[in-house]
Amino acid sequence: MSHATPDTPDRVHLDNGGRAPWHPLARQAFEQALGDGWADPRRLHAEGRRAARLLDGAREAIAAVLGARTQEVHLTPSHTASLHSAVMSAAAGRRRAGTAIVASAVERSALLQAAAYAAGGGHPAGGGHPAGGAQPSRVDPVPVDRLGRVDADAMIAAVQAPGVALAALQHANGEVGTLQPVEAVHDAARTAGVPLLVDAGASVGHVAVPAAWDLLAADPADWGGPAGVGVLAVRQRVRTAPVGPEDEDPWAPGGVSVPLAFAAAVALQAVEADRAAQETRRRQLVERLRAEVSRIPDVEVVGDPDGRLPHVATFSFLYVDGEALVTELDRHGFAVGSGSACTSSTLEPSHVLAAMGVLTHGNVRIALDRTTTADEVDRFCAVLPGAVARVREMLGVGGL
Amino acid sequence: MSHATPDTPDRVHLDNGGRAPWHPLARQAFEQALGDGWADPRRLHAEGRRAARLLDGAREAIAAVLGARTQEVHLTPSHTASLHSAVMSAAAGRRRAGTAIVASAVERSALLQAAAYAAGGGHPAGGGHPAGGAQPSRVDPVPVDRLGRVDADAMIAAVQAPGVALAALQHANGEVGTLQPVEAVHDAARTAGVPLLVDAGASVGHVAVPAAWDLLAADPADWGGPAGVGVLAVRQRVRTAPVGPEDEDPWAPGGVSVPLAFAAAVALQAVEADRAAQETRRRQLVERLRAEVSRIPDVEVVGDPDGRLPHVATFSFLYVDGEALVTELDRHGFAVGSGSACTSSTLEPSHVLAAMGVLTHGNVRIALDRTTTADEVDRFCAVLPGAVARVREMLGVGGL
């Protein structure tokens, strides 16, 4: 998507993973819902009931896409909140069965941090052991291969061990695009009686929604809906126990914004309507991008070349600082993401890339929006080699 | 505010406490921020930095109104989330000093539930004692008088007792309007070294913001900003410890919607600009309303007649079911709230009215919007006596 701004007349935004511009229909839906659904959906009067109907309608529409029942779909304040609540409430609901949590090593930080917290290694200031059991508990990160795919046999063995409260496997890795073997792991988990949490935050809206889950988290901000609302589906058969102070809505204490929820649902319906066409189109662009970038010296094109998200492409450049490369590309009008660059004070290398055993620095992630054009990808491919060279020169490794 | 709908051509919405229609400038601000601030404010590129600037600007504007430093202002997913986080993190930060929590009996349910959870009486499924100490802990609800005002002497004595982690006193009660003696309690708490949490969710935007607080929670949805975002200010001197899984933003894991935050800030600036005039105007309307309603037989006009919020009026009718009265008024085009009517399955009487020792049933709460007209109040006054009589007749007490 091109943005015309005074300083950068032809801006190209290629960092649409986890936060994409709103789908135009989401904006329309928000406007409509703000008029009809500003009231508190818990109130009894006409305005309250109208807001409640919009909220129920949003959950129903999302449920239809996810292959869930409406009452299985909960709205949360964010994708991070979905993952926190899913892990903590499922672990608390299964305390009698065990306290171990099995998760791939490349799950999102939010999920791994919730697992550490639920399994008793939580934030020290938080005061210890929220799961409360006397049994020792732990998180078992299951290794991945060099493409970022979890070792299915290892994960299945871990899930089948005694004392497992919860297993977690993402549908696809949002940093590198690799799809995970959720069906095989779900089969094994089901046999073992262990619920499987599937983080589909990077995939819903881009590829078909998997059926292999007991809890499924999805991210409106990733599919062209708003940030500020998350989605968590929990099969009715799964036993959960809310963690935290009591509230009418344990998944979003105080409730969520009804207009945001409605906009999220409308965006999801809209992107599902032409998902297959967009999948094909963007897969071709990503293949072109991966092929072009692989010609740059000392680059590693990251993630599975085939079993992958159609819109994500990731590269790691030797002798390059990721933050410097993002900044250099930004100066030339291209917004990209990086697994090794963020604004937080602790610039830690990506745990995903580290788990894969690939270069953790000099990393660039591209996530194409539905509006990204072939021309924009071509222009990026034309600019990238020079940007890499300039950053290498700044770091004094230009001659390598 | 009148809404023209097919069935009710001249709808009057008088339930604006906790959820008011958006201020027109908030809608404009949202639109602008959606264009400029849709990106993830944690990203390094121009779009991310622009979103970060909008978010910082929102916090700065809110801080200026609250009399806080920008870095003291945190955004949360909702007012309920603000209260939960404030109680739990302040209690966790003070574990060495004590584990008791002192709160007035008329605090919001969300605050009392968080206090019960933090003090060890949490949700049983959640697994016991999140504060983690071995010391026995408790919540001390401090009684209120018949006007709903906390017994300041009793609260001060409770705050000065040993082992108190946190004190909580609302600025004003949102159900009945009574202002609380926050200055006196804050003085005593400061002397005792106990932080005071002030829930100003019903007052900010309607009366002057108090200076007497260590933690202050305020509610955008109440002042004409959006739901889906909350505000929590924490003085830098207050020691807090985040409770829950680690996240870059412990007050809103995963972050909040930048456009919502910006709209909340703009709405606050807008309502502050003519707050004094609106306070005078709405206080006169509320006085008229209280006088008119007091003429209806067997009614209790609730809350302090003088030291009160300017826009809230509450009545309890003998021989009337609150839910039935809300529904009857709704049929006649008037949306009102009720302390004894909600859509949740557990229709419990209001703990606020119970603590005051007044009628807990047959309750109606009016909260005037800035757009509510004198004519609308007059029309409500004309319709209310008949509605009360009809509900009494339905319940078979018409002759009383």
Side-chain angles (χ1 to χ4, degrees), chain A:
Chain A
M1 196 172 80
S2 293
H3 298 265
T5 65
D7 47 326
T8 53
D10 207 2
R11 185 100 189 142
V12 178
H13 192 84
L14 299 173
D15 184 24
N16 301 291
R19 192 70 64 97
W22 284 31
H23 193 286
L25 290 178
R27 294 186 74 137
Q28 275 183 33
F30 182 89
E31 276 297 312
Q32 184 207 328
L34 188 55
D36 285 351
W38 60 268
D40 188 334
R42 294 164 296 190
R43 305 287 171 88
L44 291 172
H45 43 61
E47 290 82 353
R49 296 195 308 273
R50 212 159 57 207
R53 279 196 301 274
L54 279 176
L55 196 58
D56 290 345
R59 290 173 59 218
E60 191 178 340
I62 293 168
V65 172
L66 299 185
R69 298 178 191 184
T70 302
Q71 63 267 39
E72 292 175 329
V73 170
H74 309 288
L75 300 170
T76 74
S78 68
H79 190 55
T80 294
S82 291
L83 296 174
H84 284 183
S85 293
V87 169
M88 292 195 293
S89 65
R94 291 258 307 161
R95 271 184 304 157
R96 286 184 198 168
T99 54
I101 296 176
V102 174
S104 90
V106 296
E107 298 301 310
R108 265 173 230 262
S109 299
L111 191 148
L112 294 174
Q113 280 160 347
Y117 186 79
H123 197 289
H129 197 304
Q135 209 177 340
S137 45
R138 60 193 197 280
V139 183
D140 296 328
V142 183
V144 299
D145 65 17
R146 218 178 147 77
L147 300 176
R149 183 162 293 119
V150 75
D151 180 335
D153 291 341
M155 181 131 191
I156 288 167
V159 166
Q160 291 173 333
V164 176
L166 175 69
L169 180 60
Q170 63 200 187
H171 184 213
N173 186 282
E175 272 188 53
V176 304
T178 300
L179 290 165
Q180 303 290 356
V182 289
E183 288 79 10
V185 170
H186 188 239
D187 283 348
R190 198 167 38 194
T191 305
V194 172
L196 178 67
L197 165 61
V198 172
D199 175 1
S203 63
V204 167
H206 306 288
V207 294
V209 179
W213 53 270
D214 300 298
L215 302 96
L216 181 93
D219 186 3
D222 184 79
W223 71 57
V229 63
V231 170
L232 178 65
V234 183
R235 299 279 191 212
Q236 284 184 301
R237 63 177 177 266
V238 177
R239 181 192 297 265
T240 59
V243 174
E246 271 189 67
D247 192 76
E248 212 175 309
D249 183 351
W251 306 102
V256 298
S257 158
V258 174
L260 285 191
F262 192 71
V266 168
L268 182 57
Q269 289 181 318
V271 302
E272 279 296 306
D274 69 343
R275 180 173 51 71
Q278 276 286 355
E279 190 176 334
T280 307
R281 189 186 76 82
R282 289 192 290 175
R283 194 176 294 281
Q284 285 165 355
L285 292 180
V286 160
E287 274 167 17
R288 189 191 312 179
L289 191 50
R290 284 171 61 99
E292 286 291 323
V293 171
S294 67
R295 297 190 197 165
I296 298 174
D298 294 311
V299 68
E300 188 164 14
V301 179
V302 180
D304 195 303
D306 303 313
R308 61 181 296 98
L309 291 175
H311 64 303
V312 171
T314 306
F315 323 106
S316 290
F317 296 93
L318 211 59
Y319 319 121
V320 164
D321 174 68
E323 185 176 343
L325 184 53
V326 169
T327 304
E328 177 68 15
L329 287 166
D330 188 53
R331 286 205 313 122
H332 288 80
F334 295 89
V336 302
S338 171
S340 55
C342 63
T343 57
S344 84
S345 50
T346 55
L347 276 170
E348 288 177 16
S350 153
H351 73 281
V352 170
L353 302 175
M356 291 166 65
V358 300
L359 274 178
T360 56
H361 285 89
N363 181 258
V364 163
R365 184 189 70 165
I366 303 301
L368 305 183
D369 190 50
R370 286 163 198 80
T371 60
T372 305
T373 64
D375 175 61
E376 289 174 327
V377 170
D378 287 345
R379 279 160 51 209
F380 177 72
C381 290
V383 162
L384 182 63
V388 171
R390 278 191 298 278
V391 172
R392 283 177 176 164
E393 217 159 276
M394 284 189 285
L395 296 174
V397 290
L400 279 168

Side-chain angles (χ1 to χ4, degrees), chain B residues 213-297:
Chain B
W213 53 269
D214 300 298
L215 303 96
L216 181 93
D219 186 3
D222 185 78
W223 71 56
V229 63
V231 170
L232 177 64
V234 183
R235 298 279 191 212
Q236 284 183 299
R237 62 178 177 264
V238 177
R239 181 193 297 264
T240 59
V243 174
E246 273 192 70
D247 192 75
E248 213 176 308
D249 184 350
W251 306 102
V256 299
S257 157
V258 174
L260 285 191
F262 192 71
V266 168
L268 183 56
Q269 288 182 317
V271 302
E272 278 295 306
D274 69 342
R275 180 174 50 72
Q278 276 286 358
E279 189 176 335
T280 306
R281 189 186 77 81
R282 290 192 288 173
R283 193 175 296 281
Q284 286 166 355
L285 292 180
V286 160
E287 275 168 16
R288 190 193 309 180
L289 190 51
R290 285 170 61 98
E292 285 293 323
V293 170
S294 68
R295 296 188 197 166
I296 298 173

Side-chain angles (χ1 to χ4, degrees), chain B residues 5-370:
Chain B
T5 65
D7 47 325
T8 54
D10 206 1
R11 184 101 187 142
V12 179
H13 191 84
L14 299 173
D15 184 24
N16 300 290
R19 192 70 65 99
W22 285 30
H23 192 286
L25 291 178
R27 293 186 76 136
Q28 277 184 31
F30 182 89
E31 276 297 312
Q32 184 206 327
L34 188 55
D36 286 349
W38 60 268
D40 188 335
R42 293 164 297 190
R43 306 287 170 88
L44 291 172
H45 43 60
E47 290 82 354
R49 296 194 309 271
R50 214 159 55 208
R53 278 197 301 274
L54 279 176
L55 196 57
D56 290 345
R59 289 173 61 218
E60 191 179 341
I62 292 168
V65 172
L66 299 185
R69 298 178 192 184
T70 302
Q71 64 267 39
E72 293 176 329
V73 170
H74 309 288
L75 300 170
T76 74
S78 69
H79 189 56
T80 294
S82 291
L83 296 173
H84 285 183
S85 293
V87 169
M88 292 195 293
S89 64
R94 291 259 305 162
R95 270 185 303 157
R96 285 183 199 169
T99 53
I101 297 176
V102 175
S104 90
V106 295
E107 298 301 310
R108 265 173 230 260
S109 299
L111 191 148
L112 295 173
Q113 281 160 346
Y117 185 78
H123 198 289
H129 198 304
Q135 208 177 342
S137 44
R138 61 195 196 280
V139 183
D140 296 327
V142 182
V144 299
D145 65 18
R146 217 179 149 77
L147 300 177
R149 182 162 294 118
V150 75
D151 181 335
D153 292 340
M155 181 130 193
I156 288 168
V159 166
Q160 291 174 334
V164 176
L166 175 70
L169 180 60
Q170 62 200 188
H171 184 214
N173 186 281
E175 272 189 52
V176 303
T178 301
L179 290 165
Q180 303 290 357
V182 288
E183 287 80 10
V185 171
H186 188 240
D187 283 347
R190 197 167 38 192
T191 305
V194 173
L196 178 68
L197 164 60
V198 172
D199 174 1
S203 64
V204 167
H206 306 289
V207 294
V209 178
W213 53 269
D214 300 298
L215 303 96
L216 181 93
D219 186 3
D222 185 78
W223 71 56
V229 63
V231 170
L232 177 64
V234 183
R235 298 279 191 212
Q236 284 183 299
R237 62 178 177 264
V238 177
R239 181 193 297 264
T240 59
V243 174
E246 273 192 70
D247 192 75
E248 213 176 308
D249 184 350
W251 306 102
V256 299
S257 157
V258 174
L260 285 191
F262 192 71
V266 168
L268 183 56
Q269 288 182 317
V271 302
E272 278 295 306
D274 69 342
R275 180 174 50 72
Q278 276 286 358
E279 189 176 335
T280 306
R281 189 186 77 81
R282 290 192 288 173
R283 193 175 296 281
Q284 286 166 355
L285 292 180
V286 160
E287 275 168 16
R288 190 193 309 180
L289 190 51
R290 285 170 61 98
E292 285 293 323
V293 170
S294 68
R295 296 188 197 166
I296 298 173
D298 293 313
V299 68
E300 188 163 13
V301 179
V302 180
D304 194 304
D306 302 312
R308 61 181 295 100
L309 291 174
H311 65 302
V312 171
T314 307
F315 323 106
S316 289
F317 297 94
L318 211 58
Y319 320 122
V320 163
D321 175 68
E323 185 175 345
L325 184 54
V326 168
T327 305
E328 177 68 15
L329 287 167
D330 188 53
R331 286 207 312 123
H332 288 81
F334 295 90
V336 302
S338 172
S340 55
C342 63
T343 57
S344 83
S345 49
T346 55
L347 275 170
E348 288 177 16
S350 153
H351 73 281
V352 170
L353 301 174
M356 291 167 64
V358 300
L359 276 177
T360 56
H361 286 89
N363 182 256
V364 163
R365 185 190 68 165
I366 304 300
L368 306 184
D369 190 49
R370 286 163 198 79

